[in-house]
């Protein structure tokens, strides 16, 4: 019940137990094609280049940035948590001239602040984290697509922490590049990164195409300035997932099975219904934490649905309390990074764990641990407050 990874959905684990097949077996390539179709629905996009990068969510980030950025390109990164710093780090390693704007952790940027920076910096790429689990904040993206289009800027976001648990439609937002991971709201294990790219982004990437020796055929392009990673070279990966079936690498078959099942679950439940489920259980957890007398960290109006941060009460050892939650109740919650390390706990309700029973059990366990740690709490205050949220939601569903 931390900020991720979370318990994988049993359906995903069963799917991953299937036997391997050859990477060009017709059933395998059909599975790849089906996975692309499914993730277009998850991302809410028509982008042809919607596929998986083999690796954790960071692999998806690095593939997008190294394939879009050439040395000397100007990149703008608004930083409001740990993972904005990560985007900056990767962009700098790509040789970019990186410009940043920052707000204190627990806040997000206004549209006006990002617009001013875009018009001042005139970057090739705007790189924004959508949901940053280090602070639990979700950066509003509305209007940024039009801003980037107006200024000739590519628009990238990382939605690892937010996808399928928060409202997010790629095409409606005017995004050019989006990367994600399975281990949060999608309910899978870390190790596969769903990604999607607009035609504008694809054109930038394919203009840098350079087919490696050994798989190159007559007429294949060779660039003097290729993408600076072979494994994360999206120009070749696009051909691997496309009709050409370029033998770029061996697909992580078991992760493909898992990623496909994650997407099937989203599509079967319905994206809007899945977001509503995360919202309901996230609201119940939030109310329960307040019912225990805990102070919520950050600007709650911009909090992700699927994770909450609370200030660790004075007089209690935060790590010892987390240890008691794990050792005595089998429940994991998280701490945070940087300026928030040791100051907050992060408690998630996402994916397979966005359920009533997990919320109530976590709140009951946390109450017990707080009592043992000497914190004064109202008996049943957390569970009771969560029950009120569920009761109100139930009444709202009853037809008038």
């Amino acid at each position: 019940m931390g900020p991720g990874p979370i318990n994988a959905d049993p359906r995903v684990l069963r799917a991953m137990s299937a036997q391997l097949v050859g990477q060009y077996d017709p059933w395998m390539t059909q599975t790849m094609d089906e996975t692309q179709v499914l993730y277009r629905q998850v991302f809410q996009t028509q982008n042809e280049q919607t596929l998986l990068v083999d690796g954790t969510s960071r692999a998806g980030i690095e593939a997008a940035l190294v394939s879009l950025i050439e040395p000397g390109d100007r990149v703008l990164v608004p930083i409001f948590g740990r993972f904005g710093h990560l985007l900056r780090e990767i962009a700098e390693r790509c040789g970019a001239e990186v410009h940043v704007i920052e707000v204190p952790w627990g806040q997000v940027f206004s549209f006006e602040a990002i617009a001013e920076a875009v018009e001042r910096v005139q970057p090739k790429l705007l790189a924004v984290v959508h949901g940053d689990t280090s602070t639990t904040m979700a950066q509003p993206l509305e209007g940024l697509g039009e801003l980037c289009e107006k200024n000739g800027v590519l628009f990238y976001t990382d939605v690892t922490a937010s996808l399928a648990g928060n409202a997010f439609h790629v095409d409606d937002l005017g995004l050019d590049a989006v990367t994600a991971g399975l281990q949060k709201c999608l309910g899978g294990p870390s190790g596969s990164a769903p990604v999607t790219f607009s035609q504008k982004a694809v054109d930038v990437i394919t203009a840098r195409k350079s087919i490696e020796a050994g798989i190159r055929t007559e007429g294949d392009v060779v660039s003097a300035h290729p993408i600076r990673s072979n494994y994360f070279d999206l120009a070749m990966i696009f051909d691997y997932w496309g009709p050409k079936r370029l033998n770029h690498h061996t697909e992580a078959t078991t992760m493909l099975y898992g990623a496909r099942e994650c997407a099937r679950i989203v599509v079967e439940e319905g994206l809007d219904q899945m977001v509503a489920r995360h919202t309901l259980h996230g609201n119940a957890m939030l109310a329960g934490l307040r019912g225990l007398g805990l102070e919520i960290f950050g600007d709650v109006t911009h909090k992700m649905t699927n994770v909450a941060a609370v200030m660790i009460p004075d007089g209690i050892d935060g790590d010892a309390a987390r240890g008691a939650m794990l050792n005595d109740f089998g429940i994991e919650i998280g701490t945070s990074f940087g300026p928030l390390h040791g100051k907050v706990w992060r408690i998630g309700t996402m994916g397979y764990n966005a359920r009533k029973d997990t919320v109530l059990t976590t709140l009951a366990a946390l109450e017990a641990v707080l009592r043992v740690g000497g914190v004064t709490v109202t008996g049943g205050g957390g569970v009771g407050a969560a029950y009120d949220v569920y009761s109100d939601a139930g009444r709202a569903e009853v037809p008038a």
Side-chain angles (χ1 to χ4, degrees):
M1 298 297 288
I6 51 83
N7 298 87
D9 191 297
R11 278 183 53 178
V12 175
L13 298 178
R14 287 194 295 271
M16 294 177 70
S17 70
Q19 184 55 273
L20 307 185
V21 298
Q23 62 177 324
Y24 295 115
D25 184 294
W27 187 87
M28 179 67 172
T29 54
Q30 178 185 333
T31 300
M32 294 170 73
D33 291 343
E34 180 186 344
T35 301
Q36 290 184 277
V37 171
L38 287 165
Y39 275 99
R40 290 185 190 111
Q41 296 173 73
V42 173
F43 281 121
Q44 293 288 286
T45 185
Q46 298 298 315
N47 290 340
E48 178 183 357
Q49 297 299 353
T50 301
L51 44 91
L52 303 176
V53 170
D54 291 336
T56 65
S57 51
R58 188 175 300 214
I61 297 170
E62 189 147 347
L65 295 184
V66 76
S67 297
L68 287 167
I69 297 170
E70 295 186 67
D73 283 344
R74 196 172 294 174
V75 174
L76 175 63
V77 182
I79 298 175
F80 62 99
R82 175 194 170 182
F83 295 101
H85 286 290
L86 175 63
L87 299 189
R88 176 186 193 173
E89 160 90 9
I90 294 174
E92 287 176 341
R93 289 183 181 229
C94 294
E97 175 191 321
V98 182
H99 297 252
V100 303
I101 54 176
E102 296 190 55
V103 293
W105 287 29
Q107 298 179 23
V108 296
F109 292 91
S110 67
F111 170 82
E112 290 75 18
I114 297 178
E116 185 280 328
V118 166
E119 290 165 3
R120 170 171 47 85
V121 174
Q122 287 296 302
K124 174 182 179 179
L125 178 74
L126 171 65
V128 188
V129 175
H130 181 220
D132 194 315
T133 50
S134 67
T135 68
T136 76
M137 297 296 109
Q139 171 62 45
L141 302 178
E142 289 74 16
L144 296 181
E146 292 87 345
L147 172 71
C148 288
E149 181 68 24
K150 173 186 172 185
N151 287 274
V153 176
L154 290 166
F155 183 19
Y156 160 77
T157 193
D158 167 44
V159 294
T160 298
S162 54
L163 184 64
N166 302 262
F168 181 78
H169 295 184
V170 168
D171 289 354
D172 289 349
L173 290 168
L175 281 149
D176 294 302
V178 181
T179 64
L182 304 183
Q183 72 272 22
K184 299 189 189 275
C185 299
L186 288 172
S190 181
S192 184
V195 299
T196 187
F197 299 90
S198 73
Q199 188 57 52
K200 183 165 65 172
V202 170
D203 290 345
V204 171
I205 292 166
T206 54
R208 304 179 66 195
K209 180 184 288 189
S210 187
I211 306 300
E212 66 186 75
I215 58 174
R216 191 184 303 152
T217 59
E218 185 176 354
D220 280 342
V221 65
V222 180
S223 173
H225 305 284
I227 291 167
R228 291 194 167 193
S229 171
N230 178 287
Y231 188 71
F232 294 136
D233 185 330
L234 285 172
M236 288 197 286
I237 292 173
F238 290 164
D239 279 345
Y240 179 62
W241 280 78
K244 190 174 181 180
R245 299 296 176 191
L246 182 74
N247 188 10
H248 175 254
H249 68 283
T250 302
E251 176 60 22
T253 312
T254 300
M255 288 307 308
L256 172 65
Y257 298 160
R260 179 178 65 166
E261 197 64 20
C262 288
R264 280 175 165 173
I265 290 168
V266 175
V267 171
E268 287 176 18
E269 182 174 351
L271 184 60
D272 291 345
Q273 288 78 7
M274 182 169 273
V275 171
R277 172 165 62 85
H278 281 84
T279 301
L280 171 61
H281 298 299
N283 286 342
M285 180 65 81
L286 185 66
L289 294 170
R290 284 173 164 158
L292 290 172
L294 298 174
E295 178 187 351
I296 307 301
F297 170 78
D299 177 3
V300 176
T301 59
H302 291 110
K303 188 186 77 64
M304 285 186 285
T305 64
N306 51 298
V307 61
V310 295
M311 304 301 297
I312 298 172
D314 292 339
I316 193 167
D317 183 324
D319 287 341
R322 290 177 59 239
M325 289 285 288
L326 183 61
N327 295 327
D328 298 343
F329 295 94
I331 297 173
E332 181 186 74
I333 62 173
T335 182
S336 192
F337 314 100
L340 296 182
H341 179 70
K343 296 181 179 179
V344 302
W345 291 316
R346 294 177 300 152
I347 302 175
T349 49
M350 62 184 86
Y352 182 68
N353 288 351
R355 308 193 314 264
K356 184 177 181 179
D357 63 309
T358 60
V359 171
L360 298 178
T361 302
T362 301
L363 290 168
L366 184 57
E367 177 183 332
V369 169
L370 289 170
R371 285 181 180 279
V372 170
V375 178
T376 301
V377 295
T378 301
V383 170
Y387 265 129
D388 288 343
V389 171
Y390 290 125
S391 295
D392 290 344
R395 284 192 292 270
E397 292 172 1
V398 176

